[in-house]
């Protein structure tokens, strides 16, 4: 089969030539060597914020592993611990105090209610609002997990002696409380 082209048909021109990457085109003088003394070049382990982040991840992993059998996670545990220090709290107060998104609090409280560890009750100050309170089963769960929680903390802080642990706790408390105001 032979195909003939119409007289006004033009052969396509080749497309634009691929460009060199911008880095390759720049003269060498525009790429000075990286100065290892620049503040942004310090190592991750010299960055306190990064170390705190890593410590938080490790702590969360250890606590979540410890809580795995119960079906709870660290966020549930933190909420239970907070409720153990109060006569109950509005969900928005839990959100503010724990630093969790309000929609996350709803799910966490739902989970704890299903397990019988917390319940929503009418607020004595406002019948339209509900407060979340720790139940007897929730208190029992916290009592039963105290020792395991201490083991997790001890594993996490094993490299520190008692005085260093106390100092770390005091400093972290000061930083955390400053963030709540």
């Amino acid at each position: 089969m032979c195909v003939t082209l119409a007289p006004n048909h033009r052969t396509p021109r080749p497309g634009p030539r691929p460009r060199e990457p911008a880095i390759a085109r720049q003269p060498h003088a525009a790429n000075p060597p990286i100065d290892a003394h620049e503040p942004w070049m310090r190592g991750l382990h010299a960055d306190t914020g990064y170390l705190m982040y890593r410590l938080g991840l490790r702590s969360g992993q250890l606590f979540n592993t410890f809580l795995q059998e119960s079906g709870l996670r660290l966020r549930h545990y933190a909420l239970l611990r907070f409720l153990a220090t109060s006569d109950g709290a509005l969900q928005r107060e839990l959100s503010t105090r724990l630093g969790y998104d309000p929609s996350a609090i709803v799910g966490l409280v739902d989970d704890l209610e299903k397990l019988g560890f917390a319940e929503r009750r009418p607020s004595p100050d406002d019948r339209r609002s509900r407060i979340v309170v720790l139940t007897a089963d929730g208190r029992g769960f916290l009592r039963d997990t105290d020792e395991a929680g201490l083991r997790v903390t001890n594993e996490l802080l094993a490299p520190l002696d008692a005085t260093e642990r106390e100092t770390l706790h005091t400093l972290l408390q000061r930083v955390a409380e400053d963030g709540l105001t």
Side-chain angles (χ1 to χ4, degrees):
M1 170 192 250
C2 181
V3 178
T4 49
L5 299 175
N8 63 354
H9 177 70
R10 295 186 183 159
T11 8
R13 294 168 81 185
R17 228 177 73 218
R19 293 184 157 190
E20 285 182 51
I23 293 173
R25 289 185 310 210
Q26 293 177 352
H28 181 68
N31 290 322
I34 293 175
D35 182 356
H37 299 291
E38 287 287 337
W40 55 270
M41 280 298 297
R42 64 188 171 163
L44 285 175
H45 291 283
D47 185 327
T48 303
Y50 176 77
L51 291 174
M52 289 174 60
Y53 166 76
R54 292 291 302 172
L55 183 62
L57 282 179
R58 176 128 167 80
S59 176
Q61 289 167 342
L62 289 171
F63 269 95
N64 284 329
T65 298
F66 140 70
L67 291 168
Q68 194 169 18
E69 288 178 24
S70 68
L72 298 181
R73 306 212 21 99
L74 181 57
R75 297 179 123 206
H76 295 100
Y77 188 76
L79 198 151
L80 288 172
R81 282 274 170 220
F82 179 82
L83 291 175
T85 65
S86 70
D87 292 330
L90 296 170
Q91 287 183 173
R92 69 178 164 265
E93 180 187 358
L94 292 170
S95 172
T96 301
R97 296 296 302 260
L98 296 172
Y100 297 164
D101 186 81
S103 62
I105 292 292
V106 172
L108 294 171
V109 173
D110 287 347
D111 294 344
L112 294 174
E113 271 192 316
K114 286 176 191 165
L115 292 168
F117 292 167
E119 64 184 23
R120 292 175 175 102
R121 294 182 183 162
S123 170
D125 301 329
D126 180 359
R127 290 181 299 149
R128 295 170 295 167
S129 297
R130 297 211 166 285
I131 59 170
V132 181
V133 296
L134 188 65
T135 64
D137 286 348
R139 287 188 193 288
F141 174 80
L142 287 175
R143 248 189 323 277
D144 293 345
T145 58
D146 263 353
E147 188 178 321
L150 287 173
R151 280 198 311 268
V152 168
T153 299
N154 286 333
E155 180 180 336
L156 188 65
L157 301 179
L160 305 178
D161 65 32
T163 303
E164 291 169 326
R165 288 178 187 207
E166 189 175 324
T167 300
L168 176 63
H169 181 84
T170 301
L171 294 172
L172 289 173
Q173 199 168 28
R174 189 180 330 156
V175 171
E177 286 173 359
D178 186 59
L180 293 176
T181 56

